[in-house]
Amino acid sequence: MKLSVVIPAQNEEGSVGATVEGLVATLEREDVDYEIVVVDDDSEDSTAAVVGAIGAENPRVRVHRSHYERGFGMAIRAGLDVFQGDAVAIFMADASDDPKDLVRYHRLLEEGWDCAFGSRFMPGARIYDYPRLKYIFNRLANQFIRVLFRHRYNDTTNAFKAYRREVIETVQPLLSKHFNLTVELPLKAIVRGHSYAVVPNSWTNRTSGEAKLAMKEMGSRYLFIVLYVWLESTLSRGDYRVGKPQRRPAGGPPSPS
Ligand SMILES: Nc1nc2c(ncn2[C@@H]2O[C@H](COP(=O)(O)OP(=O)(O)O)[C@@H](O)[C@H]2O)c(=O)[nH]1
Ligand SMILES: [Mg+2]
């Protein structure tokens, strides 16, 4: 199973090189068939050049200049349009995620799960230097999602997850343009009927560059998409679930001739 790794990156010259090189080293050591697509949005620094230089040596690595408007969600959506693997993982450019966790995701997908999710808040997980205020909001948001969707998974808000290609087709059309895409993808995958497995993850705070998640601006957008998916799951009678037989139009299918 070929794994595509989509990395949204904006002004990450201080960490994107190490992130990509770390991934390459681990994926090659573990014999994973992969491609790495770094989606850049008009970075004003050398992000694209750094990745371009790695790509010149390793054809599995490339930069894709986002073909959408700027934004975290739109950059990931651009990556989801162009990836070529059988599955795709979303990975941060700031070296906060661990390539070894990605290898575990790949194994889960190979075992047959549709989605592989991590949790930074379960036994076996490790978090380093998580900003305090962000931690409080994170735990509240994930608890709210758990109650609403009646599931036990406690880290829906982490973007670092992996999906089989079919899942990316099932969750269309995507609506989120910003960080709220991180919850739209897993919640839709779950309510539309895909299977998922959860493993402990580690997460390390960035040591270079700036964190871009502005919680003030994102709160209402997160709430919008969470409620949107919840409304779909409670009121749409399963119309968007995978495997639900489609009703044929009256009169049956059009005749072949
Ligand atoms: N292409 C692109 N990448 C982005 C944008 N905003 C954030 N990112 C990337 O998304 C990842 C997560 O962003 P980060 O700032 O670390 O978020 P935080 O740690 O949650 O505050 C990093 O790799 C960023 O470079 C954007 O508007 N466009
Ligand atoms: Mg970050």
Side-chain angles (χ1 to χ4, degrees):
M1 171 182 281
K2 179 169 175 174
L3 179 67
S4 298
V5 187
V6 166
I7 307 181
Q10 194 174 51
N11 299 330
E12 298 287 7
E13 66 181 5
S15 54
V16 72
T19 300
V20 172
E21 276 161 3
L23 276 169
V24 167
T26 303
L27 294 173
E28 297 208 343
R29 191 178 60 233
E30 299 290 334
D31 220 7
V32 175
D33 185 14
Y34 70 94
E35 66 164 353
I36 295 174
V37 184
V38 175
V39 185
D40 175 35
D41 256 341
D42 297 329
S43 288
E44 287 145 14
D45 65 3
S46 63
T47 297
V50 168
V51 181
I54 301 173
E57 307 276 305
N58 179 349
R60 291 171 180 265
V61 176
R62 65 193 155 104
V63 188
H64 177 76
R65 171 81 184 279
S66 176
H67 51 279
Y68 291 129
E69 64 195 87
R70 276 185 182 200
F72 174 86
M74 294 313 292
I76 292 176
R77 286 165 63 177
L80 296 181
D81 285 349
V82 302
F83 80 93
Q84 291 171 348
D86 309 297
V88 61
I90 295 157
F91 199 89
M92 301 307 107
D94 60 356
S96 52
D97 305 317
D98 185 338
K100 288 197 226 67
D101 292 332
L102 179 62
V103 174
R104 292 184 83 183
Y105 285 179
H106 184 249
R107 305 267 182 267
L108 291 172
L109 299 179
E110 282 194 326
E111 280 169 25
W113 297 96
D114 294 336
C115 314
F117 298 163
S119 172
R120 295 163 293 177
F121 312 101
M122 70 189 277
R126 283 182 165 238
I127 43 182
Y128 300 96
D129 194 22
Y130 205 97
R132 206 178 140 77
L133 190 62
K134 208 165 167 180
Y135 181 86
I136 295 167
F137 280 111
N138 178 299
R139 300 323 300 139
L140 287 172
N142 278 294
Q143 189 56 27
F144 174 70
I145 291 169
R146 285 174 78 179
V147 171
L148 206 59
F149 288 86
R150 298 201 202 137
H151 64 218
R152 287 171 47 194
Y153 177 45
N154 69 357
D155 201 4
T156 306
T157 58
N158 192 9
F160 172 43
K161 292 181 164 54
Y163 308 87
R164 282 171 175 267
R165 178 174 280 282
E166 305 86 271
V167 180
I168 300 305
E169 285 157 20
T170 308
V171 298
Q172 303 292 338
L174 292 166
L175 305 175
S176 304
K177 297 183 168 190
H178 304 280
F179 278 89
N180 49 349
L181 186 71
T182 61
V183 296
E184 180 176 4
L185 290 170
L187 288 177
K188 274 189 178 166
I190 295 170
V191 307
R192 293 187 178 181
H194 286 291
S195 64
Y196 65 97
V198 179
V199 288
N201 263 184
S202 68
W203 186 92
T204 311
N205 200 8
R206 60 164 71 241
T207 49
S208 121
E210 268 173 45
K212 293 168 195 78
L213 170 65
M215 281 183 293
K216 239 198 230 160
E217 290 160 34
M218 287 306 147
S220 72
R221 293 185 172 115
Y222 271 101
L223 188 61
F224 157 69
I225 203 68
V226 168
L227 293 179
Y228 172 90
V229 182
W230 181 75
L231 282 175
E232 175 186 304
S233 74
T234 23
L235 302 179
S236 72
R237 301 188 159 261
D239 283 348
Y240 306 98
R241 283 180 71 89
V242 275
K244 174 148 171 147
Q246 300 292 310
R247 244 170 168 233
R248 290 187 193 286
S255 63
S257 60

